[in-house]
Amino acid sequence: MKSGRGSVMAGWRRGLAVMGLGALLLGSVGCVSHEAELASLRDELARQRAELDRLRGEMNDGLTLALCNPELRQLLEDVQRECTAPAPSSSPGAAGVGQCTTKQIRPAVISADPEHRGRFLKLMSHLPHEVVYIAKGGTEVAPYRLERLHRLVRRALLQSTVFLVVSSPEDGESESLRRAEMVERMLRDRQVDGAKIRRWLYAYPAAKSDIDRAADLPGLGETRDLFRGVWVFRADC
């Protein structure tokens, strides 16, 4: 009887061992299958990301061609070639902002102007833009100017979008720089990356005849000096 019981127990143990081995093998197969599925999903995700990047690039290129005429695109390329170094600035968070001066900008503007008169505001007026008037030594701007600036920057940005912050040094470079930095802080406060900001300290001709939009002229309580206006052009080039 003991021998019979021993045989039965041994049979059970062998059965359990076989079952355990089978479960282990099934588990191994399951793990291999799961890893294969994960690898396939990763490959598909990589393909979809590559396709999305390609479509974004094509959309950006198409919109760039539609939103920027060849003259303006050439102007920006010519100026950018001359202004590659980041701007020296005392303002926090200004890293990435590129700075250009009148000497670097004027030849490109005259070349792009069909009349070769360097009428900067006339040339740039068709771009989406706003102007902020800041009195000498002033630290306040009209609230409606801030609201208009906010509307300019809140639209979706393209990969190629840059904001040109143009401040005239007619009353001195230090004052021109101060005004430019004030407006740059306004842009960064509205989540514009410093790498998308270009600072132009440019002595452009400031004349009412070159300003087509009434809203771009000084309003009630603002300085009447046109050269104190800091122009922000959105260029999707």
Side-chain angles (χ1 to χ4, degrees):
M1 292 295 292
K2 289 183 180 179
S3 175
R5 287 176 186 165
S7 298
V8 171
M9 293 297 293
W12 284 353
R13 284 195 292 269
R14 285 195 298 273
L16 290 173
V18 170
M19 290 174 63
L21 180 60
L24 180 62
L25 290 174
L26 287 174
S28 298
V29 171
C31 287
V32 171
S33 175
H34 185 60
E35 287 296 328
E37 288 179 3
L38 285 177
S40 177
L41 288 173
R42 283 194 291 265
D43 290 343
E44 180 62 25
L45 182 59
R47 284 193 294 270
Q48 290 181 4
R49 284 176 174 169
E51 178 66 11
L52 182 59
D53 288 342
R54 184 185 67 80
L55 291 173
R56 283 175 175 168
E58 290 181 356
M59 182 183 70
N60 184 82
D61 292 345
L63 288 173
T64 293
L65 290 173
L67 296 172
C68 272
N69 61 45
E71 293 79 14
L72 179 58
R73 191 177 303 111
Q74 189 63 53
L75 165 64
L76 296 178
E77 289 176 0
D78 290 345
V79 173
Q80 187 60 23
R81 254 195 316 271
E82 297 293 326
C83 315
T84 55
S89 175
S90 58
S91 63
V97 175
Q99 177 171 297
C100 300
T101 64
T102 299
K103 183 179 179 180
Q104 296 164 316
I105 300 167
R106 179 164 288 162
V109 171
I110 292 176
S111 177
D113 182 0
E115 300 176 1
H116 299 292
R117 295 167 57 190
R119 299 174 66 187
F120 177 72
L121 294 181
K122 198 75 172 177
L123 178 66
M124 304 287 285
S125 62
H126 73 281
L127 284 177
H129 66 272
E130 293 299 338
V131 60
V132 178
Y133 286 98
I134 304 173
K136 185 173 182 177
T139 58
E140 301 292 333
V141 300
Y144 80 94
R145 295 288 185 189
L146 292 176
E147 177 58 31
R148 293 180 69 95
L149 191 65
H150 179 72
R151 289 201 298 268
L152 179 68
V153 304
R154 72 182 179 186
R155 291 160 37 196
L157 304 183
L158 302 181
Q159 295 172 5
S160 54
T161 299
V162 294
F163 292 92
L164 308 178
V165 177
V166 185
S167 182
S168 173
E170 185 171 328
D171 60 341
E173 185 168 319
S174 60
E175 177 64 14
S176 173
L177 178 60
R178 187 189 71 85
R179 290 195 301 266
E181 289 183 335
M182 275 187 63
V183 174
E184 288 163 16
R185 284 194 294 272
M186 296 171 192
L187 294 176
R188 291 195 299 274
D189 287 345
R190 286 157 180 79
Q191 309 306 310
V192 176
D193 191 330
K196 286 190 169 292
I197 300 173
R198 303 288 183 270
R199 180 190 302 158
W200 287 14
L201 302 184
Y202 180 49
Y204 57 87
K208 285 186 178 181
S209 59
D210 290 339
I211 299 177
D212 295 328
R213 198 171 65 170
D216 292 337
L217 292 169
L220 185 65
E222 293 181 317
T223 176
R224 313 314 291 177
D225 297 322
L226 294 179
F227 67 84
R228 297 191 192 279
V230 179
W231 293 76
V232 180
F233 298 96
R234 173 180 168 140
D236 296 301
C237 298

